[in-house]
Amino acid sequence: MSTQLILFFILAVIAILSAIGMLVSKNSVYSAMFLVLNFVTIAVLFLLLNAPFIAMVQVTIYAGAIMVLFLFVIMLLGTDMAAEGISMPWQPPIAILLSGALILEFAFILFFAQQDVLPQIEAISAAFGSPQSIGKLLFNFYLLPFEVTSVLLLVAMVGAIILAQRETG
Amino acid sequence: MNGAATRDLFALAPLIIAFPIMGLVINLFIGRRLSERWVGTIASAAVGLSFVTALLQFAALQNTPDGIRVMVADWISIGTLNISWALKIDSLSVAMSLMVAGVSTLIHIYAIGYMHEDVRLQGDPGRFTRFFIYFNLFVAAMMILITADNYLMMFVGWEGVGLCSYLLIGFWYEKGKDGIGNAIAGKKAFITNRIGDFGFLIAMFLIFWTFGSLQFDEVFQSAEGAGTTVLTLITLFLLLGVTGKSAQIPLFVWLPDAMAGPTPVSALIHAATMVTAGIYLIVRSSVLFALAPATSNLVALIGAVTALLAASIAVAQFDIKRVLAYSTISQLGFMVAAVGLGAYVAGIFHLIAHAFFKALLFLSSGSVIQGVERGLHDSGQTNHETFDPQDMRNMGGLRSRMKITFWVYLIGGLALAGIPPLAGFFSKDEILADASENSTLIYILLTLAAILTAFYIGRQIFMVFFGEPKSEAAAHAKENPPIMTVPLLALAVLAAFGGILNLPTLQSLSKWLQLTLEQVQHTEFNVLVALLSFVFALAGLAVAWRVYGSQRDAADPMRRFLGPLFDLWENKYRVDEFYDWLFIKRYKALAFTLAEIVDWRFLHDWVHDTLLARTFQRSTRWLAEGFDLQVIDGAANNLARLIQGIASRLRTLQTGYVRNYALSIFFGLLILMSYILIQFSS
Amino acid sequence: MTIPTNYFLALSGVLFILGVLGVLIRRNSIVILMSIELMLNSANLAFIAFARAFEAHTGQVLVFFVIAVGAAEVAIGLSMIVSIYRSRGNIDIDQISQLKG
């Protein structure tokens, strides 16, 4: 068992556990912190997958900016211990049941269906996933979607301001 | 004259009908703005031009003796029924149209003077124009009748003259007994004629049924092939039409009442022209009648009996026009008897001669009546309401006061009585000669009628013109203006010399009509019959002179002499009362029964109210309550309730919980995944 | 030796299902939003794994866009939660059920 594989399993366990932690924490601040842990773990996995640029983006935007935003809203509203009564008692069991079914389907696909659709990974060039190559692709072939994304962010910003501002009239 | 010119003349034939129509249209539209003289001139000129056209046809026929069929237009074309608007120009129709147009022209001119006075006496000068419009319409209809090429077109004219007769009898519709007497007279004439028309119609249907055509030539050509039974039926129904139009037994009752119309109307329609339509119809259909001897015998008998009956009634009448009316019926009886015996030429001859002298007599009587009325006015008497200017008992001694009228009346009267050499002598004698050869019974009947004829006309002349005036009005009577007397003189000439049309040896009318009629009997002049009839006529006149010549008071000496018979005659054999009892009363009872019991009680009360209304009510109630409310409303309500139920259950699915929707989406995703897996793994 | 792609995909699947469960079970709308972010991340992981397997950079670029869209979504979502909190006084997702039929 290579070190990479050992590292993957450790990271996978951390990611799953942190996700479960986010799921079950009564305090939403804890949930947020578990999610940060999860994101960071995934960022490390990205590094293992030859995607250093995306890993950086993951850490800075997700684990940094977005989760800070979450924490900021939680603090702002003071709803870290929001009431979690039971309004639909039959919903969680059904949800778990259906989730189990989905997992079974995933398992079937991954381990019992045809295996030769994915190419065997022989050796990966060192240049793969480098910020340079990503940047070239982003600013050449995907220039228009990139610019559209900037517009999207602008719209989101404006929308957030309008939604969140107090009624002035 | 060459053939082309003849054809051109024949092409003018429709003008015979067109001129009177033009005259009536002109008067109809601008007549109110014209003076009386112009209205009368236009109407008279229209008829005069029609007469000229008839003369041209006469000239054209000299070259084409067989006659011609002048097409005007297609009229009705349905299946095998093909009827054209065509004129039949032959010697018969031309002779008739010459007579009708000629006499009509004279009567039109006379009417200008007569109606001028009449409309003022009756108090409505505005009707002058209307009178001439009706008059022209009548002439047009009569010409259609005469020149018709088929039975249907003839029927149009037949009905047209009937309509005009109705309109003109009721010309003073607000006058007469109880203010509706004239209107009732018009109605009576029209309804009585309708019975005859019914016969004509049935005959026409039978003709079409038998021959498949209504055109004269086609019918007559195939007449031989038809059975005697159907021919007898056809001719019998035609005879019914004839008795209606020509005032024969049993439908003669309308003609005396028709005297309610102005005197020119009586002269034109009810003496000279329209009433002769029946005789014309028989002569026109002579082929059919010749093949149905049974009907012909009946025709002759009806004619003879009518002649005698009407002559006897005329003896006991006091109204100057009524005497002439019954005289007309009697003379028409002579004609009908003649055509019934197959003496068609004699019938037509008497028809024409009669038209001359009877028109003359009627117009002269009109002249007498107006003279008396004028005398009444001049004498300063005020009993206008009770005084009857037509009653002969109010007259007398007019001989010296109205000279022209007297002389023309005398000529007409002698012609009627059958004194040679006047027209009536020759024509009547020809009929009597025919009768003496064919049927003794009819000869006796007609001879008796002829004696009575001489007697009643003598009685009339002596009562009116001789003796002393029996009223102030008669004493002051005055002659009429020339516009009335000149036509009288013209007619007097015709009445006097009309006999030359068919003098015993020349037989010019016979030869002329022979061109059209196949069966023309050449009756030899019978000296014995002629002498006998002359003697009888003189005897009748002599008895009349003996009884009435020196009469001083109004009482009729014959009443003493004849007793109840005179009363019976004066009351016209009570035929009107008999018809009233036999038909009108039964009819009214039937009508009452139909109205009260059949219509009201049965149809209205039972069928409508009980049967239909209640059934309808019940069925609608069932439809409304049973069907509509239960079935239709039930279906609609239950459908709505069903949807409501489904919806109220389905709405619980929309919980409003976002997580619930997410679960549904998740479930859907699972299903999709399963489907894809099953699809691709197999 | 490199880690097989299947391992990453399995991890991605597990994380996705955990995110789904978060959405379905939790009533705190902020946590639900976080769960959505978790699901996005699991999808990103799958993308990156496939990108390495096929040696295509497109997958990584797509993840970049997903992160950008996610950021926008979080911004809007959080501002909506703030807005809801202002009007209703809590952020319980089950309280927002006016559309109940």
Side-chain angles (χ1 to χ4, degrees):
Chain A
M1 218 198 242
S2 68
T3 47
Q4 275 197 355
L5 208 54
I6 294 166
L7 190 58
F8 170 77
F9 278 122
I10 291 169
L11 288 172
V13 169
I14 293 171
I16 290 169
L17 285 179
S18 63
I20 293 172
M22 181 214 77
L23 202 59
V24 298
S25 293
K26 292 263 186 288
N27 194 323
S28 47
V29 178
Y30 290 173
S31 292
M33 296 317 293
F34 275 123
L35 195 60
V36 171
L37 178 59
N38 182 274
F39 286 168
V40 170
T41 321
I42 288 172
V44 177
L45 284 172
F46 285 168
L47 281 175
L48 278 177
L49 287 165
N50 296 50
F53 173 69
I54 297 300
M56 279 308 296
V57 171
Q58 174 85 354
V59 171
T60 49
I61 294 180
Y62 258 129
I66 291 179
M67 290 323 293
V68 166
L69 200 59
F70 267 103
L71 285 170
F72 188 74
V73 169
I74 293 168
M75 300 302 176
L76 181 71
L77 302 182
T79 55
D80 48 332
M81 294 293 281
E84 289 272 351
I86 298 168
S87 63
M88 288 179 291
W90 42 268
Q91 172 107 355
I94 292 177
I96 290 165
L97 204 68
L98 293 179
S99 303
L102 193 65
I103 280 185
L104 284 178
E105 282 183 354
F106 280 164
F108 180 79
I109 292 166
L110 289 174
F111 300 109
F112 299 102
Q114 281 181 299
Q115 294 296 311
D116 51 357
V117 285
L118 287 174
Q120 283 303 117
I121 303 160
E122 297 299 325
I124 297 157
S125 64
F128 180 74
S130 66
Q132 290 96 330
S133 50
I134 299 285
K136 270 183 193 159
L137 197 62
L138 207 53
F139 290 105
N140 286 317
F141 194 75
Y142 289 105
L143 182 60
L144 184 65
F146 183 80
E147 296 298 340
V148 171
T149 306
S150 67
V151 173
L152 176 76
L153 287 170
L154 177 66
V155 169
M157 192 163 73
V158 173
I161 290 167
I162 288 174
L163 277 172
Q165 76 176 355
R166 286 174 190 281
E167 303 290 326
T168 50
Chain B
M1 205 183 324
N2 57 31
T6 308
R7 263 199 309 283
D8 290 347
L9 285 179
F10 280 133
L12 293 175
L15 287 175
I16 295 180
I17 301 168
F19 276 126
I21 291 176
M22 283 194 274
L24 93 88
V25 167
I26 291 171
N27 276 338
L28 187 62
F29 285 108
I30 60 169
R32 290 218 164 266
R33 270 176 263 158
L34 297 176
S35 68
E36 284 185 1
R37 198 153 289 271
W38 272 106
V39 170
T41 310
I42 288 168
S44 307
V47 182
L49 285 169
S50 185
F51 177 69
V52 171
T53 316
L55 271 180
L56 292 175
Q57 302 307 308
F58 176 75
L61 269 182
Q62 304 293 342
N63 235 18
T64 320
D66 284 342
I68 195 168
R69 184 164 177 262
V70 182
M71 274 289 294
V72 179
D74 281 328
W75 185 17
I76 299 173
S77 187
I78 306 164
T80 55
L81 178 67
N82 253 306
I83 295 170
S84 318
W85 197 272
L87 307 184
K88 187 169 178 60
I89 304 299
D90 58 15
S91 58
L92 178 62
S93 64
V94 167
M96 278 295 284
S97 48
L98 276 174
M99 184 277 286
V100 169
V103 173
S104 297
T105 311
L106 293 172
I107 296 175
H108 269 73
I109 295 167
Y110 171 91
I112 299 173
Y114 183 90
M115 292 310 291
H116 171 79
E117 202 132 324
D118 197 42
V119 292
R120 279 160 185 77
L121 283 169
Q122 306 282 354
D124 187 1
R127 287 195 204 173
F128 188 86
T129 313
R130 190 194 299 177
F131 180 84
F132 280 96
I133 290 169
Y134 289 166
F135 241 35
N136 273 358
L137 180 62
F138 167 78
V139 174
M142 192 68 202
M143 288 306 182
I144 290 172
L145 193 161
I146 290 169
T147 56
D149 172 62
N150 52 62
Y151 279 105
L152 192 63
M153 198 176 148
M154 193 178 196
F155 189 70
V156 171
W158 187 272
E159 291 293 296
V161 294
L163 171 72
C164 293
S165 169
Y166 165 76
L167 292 172
L168 286 164
I169 292 169
F171 188 71
W172 299 110
Y173 51 82
E174 76 281 26
K175 303 273 165 55
K177 196 181 169 204
D178 300 333
I180 52 167
N182 291 2
I184 285 176
K187 204 173 76 179
K188 186 175 177 183
F190 200 68
I191 292 170
T192 313
N193 265 303
R194 292 306 308 172
I195 299 171
D197 296 343
F198 161 76
F200 194 168
L201 274 175
I202 300 287
M204 213 154 47
F205 299 153
L206 281 171
I207 287 168
F208 182 72
W209 185 54
T210 312
F211 303 104
S213 170
L214 288 173
Q215 204 194 319
F216 292 139
D217 295 340
E218 292 174 10
V219 171
F220 300 153
Q221 267 159 25
S222 47
E224 295 270 358
T228 316
T229 317
V230 74
L231 279 174
T232 308
L233 269 177
I234 289 171
T235 48
L236 276 177
F237 280 114
L238 282 178
L239 176 62
L240 184 59
V242 169
T243 57
K245 198 59 95 191
S246 287
Q248 298 298 296
I249 291 173
L251 298 179
F252 67 94
V253 289
W254 65 271
L255 187 59
D257 289 18
M259 297 304 127
T263 306
V265 174
S266 309
L268 178 63
I269 298 181
H270 306 119
T273 57
M274 185 189 87
V275 291
T276 64
I279 288 103
Y280 178 72
L281 174 62
I282 294 183
V283 175
R284 189 44 101 187
S285 313
S286 59
V287 178
L288 302 180
F289 279 89
L291 291 170
T295 316
S296 288
N297 290 337
L298 185 63
V299 170
L301 193 65
I302 282 178
V305 172
T306 308
L308 181 59
L309 202 73
S312 64
I313 296 174
V315 167
Q317 296 300 312
F318 293 102
D319 186 311
I320 186 170
K321 278 174 76 181
R322 270 185 185 271
V323 173
L324 294 176
Y326 281 105
S327 165
T328 303
I329 296 173
S330 171
Q331 296 301 307
L332 288 167
F334 271 88
M335 299 172 214
V336 170
V339 294
L341 293 170
Y344 300 112
V345 175
I348 292 288
F349 183 31
H350 195 55
L351 189 159
I352 293 170
H354 174 258
F356 293 153
F357 62 72
K358 191 51 65 67
L360 172 62
L361 285 173
F362 262 114
L363 294 186
S364 311
S365 75
S367 171
V368 168
I369 293 163
Q370 281 207 340
V372 172
E373 280 187 338
R374 203 172 295 125
L376 177 71
H377 189 73
D378 290 352
S379 67
Q381 289 190 334
T382 49
N383 55 347
H384 284 260
E385 299 302 316
T386 53
F387 183 80
D388 184 359
Q390 302 193 7
D391 195 328
M392 296 192 291
R393 284 170 293 192
N394 291 329
M395 300 175 187
L398 292 176
R399 180 186 48 194
S400 52
R401 308 204 65 85
M402 302 177 75
K403 284 205 176 61
I404 302 173
T405 305
F406 166 65
W407 282 111
V408 295
Y409 208 102
L410 191 64
I411 292 171
L414 293 180
L416 173 62
I419 302 296
L422 303 173
F425 168 74
F426 294 104
S427 60
K428 194 191 284 178
D429 186 65
E430 202 171 316
I431 292 173
L432 288 172
D434 273 315
S436 70
E437 278 179 17
N438 289 312
S439 165
T440 321
L441 172 67
I442 287 172
Y443 174 71
I444 293 170
L445 287 171
L446 290 182
T447 308
L448 284 175
I451 297 170
L452 284 174
T453 304
F455 177 72
Y456 70 67
I457 194 66
R459 169 180 178 260
Q460 186 174 46
I461 289 171
F462 297 135
M463 279 180 89
V464 172
F465 293 101
F466 290 80
E468 299 298 318
K470 297 180 196 69
S471 69
E472 281 297 304
H476 289 84
K478 266 207 194 103
E479 184 57 277
N480 283 295
I483 190 142
M484 287 166 73
T485 51
V486 168
L488 289 181
L489 289 170
L491 278 170
V493 170
L494 287 171
F497 302 110
I500 56 172
L501 279 177
N502 204 19
L503 283 175
T505 45
L506 292 172
Q507 298 276 356
S508 44
L509 187 66
S510 291
K511 285 171 191 155
W512 174 250
L513 289 179
Q514 208 166 1
L515 301 172
T516 302
L517 301 170
E518 288 167 18
Q519 299 98 346
V520 171
Q521 298 175 359
H522 279 288
T523 312
E524 291 304 311
F525 184 68
N526 192 326
V527 183
L528 182 68
V529 170
L531 204 65
L532 215 55
S533 81
F534 177 49
V535 170
F536 284 147
L538 278 181
L541 288 173
V543 172
W545 169 251
R546 179 80 185 79
V547 176
Y548 295 99
S550 54
Q551 189 200 10
R552 307 239 173 252
D553 54 357
D556 196 309
M558 289 299 286
R559 192 190 294 279
R560 233 180 15 244
F561 182 64
L562 287 172
L565 191 58
F566 190 86
D567 284 339
L568 190 62
W569 287 355
E570 188 181 7
N571 290 314
K572 312 145 196 169
Y573 292 106
R574 304 192 194 279
V575 170
D576 277 341
E577 289 77 4
F578 175 67
Y579 282 0
D580 190 59
W581 175 80
L582 185 65
F583 296 116
I584 313 282
K585 238 172 114 186
R586 311 289 151 208
Y587 180 78
K588 277 183 177 164
L590 178 68
F592 180 80
T593 310
L594 286 174
E596 181 63 26
I597 293 171
V598 175
D599 183 58
W600 194 250
R601 293 218 196 118
F602 175 74
L603 275 176
H604 180 268
D605 283 356
W606 191 72
V607 175
H608 287 169
D609 275 5
T610 309
L611 204 65
L612 291 179
R614 203 164 297 166
T615 309
F616 185 72
Q617 248 171 5
R618 268 188 205 149
S619 56
T620 48
R621 188 171 299 148
W622 179 80
L623 280 174
E625 290 173 5
F627 188 73
D628 187 49
L629 283 183
Q630 307 267 315
V631 179
I632 296 181
D633 282 15
N637 285 339
N638 281 326
L639 189 68
R641 213 166 287 146
L642 178 73
I643 290 173
Q644 202 178 30
I646 293 171
S648 67
R649 279 166 184 75
L650 279 178
R651 71 190 285 233
T652 56
L653 285 180
Q654 192 177 352
T655 53
Y657 297 124
V658 177
R659 298 186 300 142
N660 224 319
Y661 304 158
L663 185 68
S664 305
I665 295 169
F666 185 47
F667 185 68
L669 171 87
L670 206 63
I671 301 289
L672 271 175
M673 285 279 291
S674 310
Y675 173 77
I676 290 167
L677 276 179
I678 292 165
Q679 198 73 2
F680 285 91
S681 59
S682 57
Chain C
M1 96 162 245
T2 51
I3 306 155
T5 313
N6 277 0
Y7 289 13
F8 288 100
L9 293 179
L11 179 61
S12 163
V14 171
L15 290 178
F16 183 83
I17 285 168
L18 287 171
V20 167
L21 279 174
V23 171
L24 292 182
I25 293 173
R26 295 298 300 263
R27 291 172 65 186
N28 190 324
S29 47
I30 292 177
V31 176
I32 287 174
L33 211 57
M34 288 184 206
S35 302
I36 291 170
E37 294 306 314
L38 183 60
M39 282 154 76
L40 281 174
N41 255 290
S42 73
N44 284 352
L45 186 60
F47 266 124
I48 299 293
F50 281 123
R52 190 199 59 164
F54 290 98
E55 287 193 62
H57 285 120
T58 310
Q60 296 193 6
V61 172
L62 217 59
V63 168
F64 174 79
F65 285 132
V66 169
I67 290 168
V69 172
E73 176 236 315
V74 166
I76 296 293
L78 284 174
S79 56
M80 279 167 72
I81 288 169
V82 168
S83 181
I84 288 166
Y85 181 78
R86 282 216 190 108
S87 63
R88 309 184 62 89
N90 63 51
I91 51 170
D92 186 354
I93 194 89
D94 287 356
Q95 300 285 315
I96 312 163
S97 60
Q98 282 95 335
L99 287 180
K100 180 179 168 64

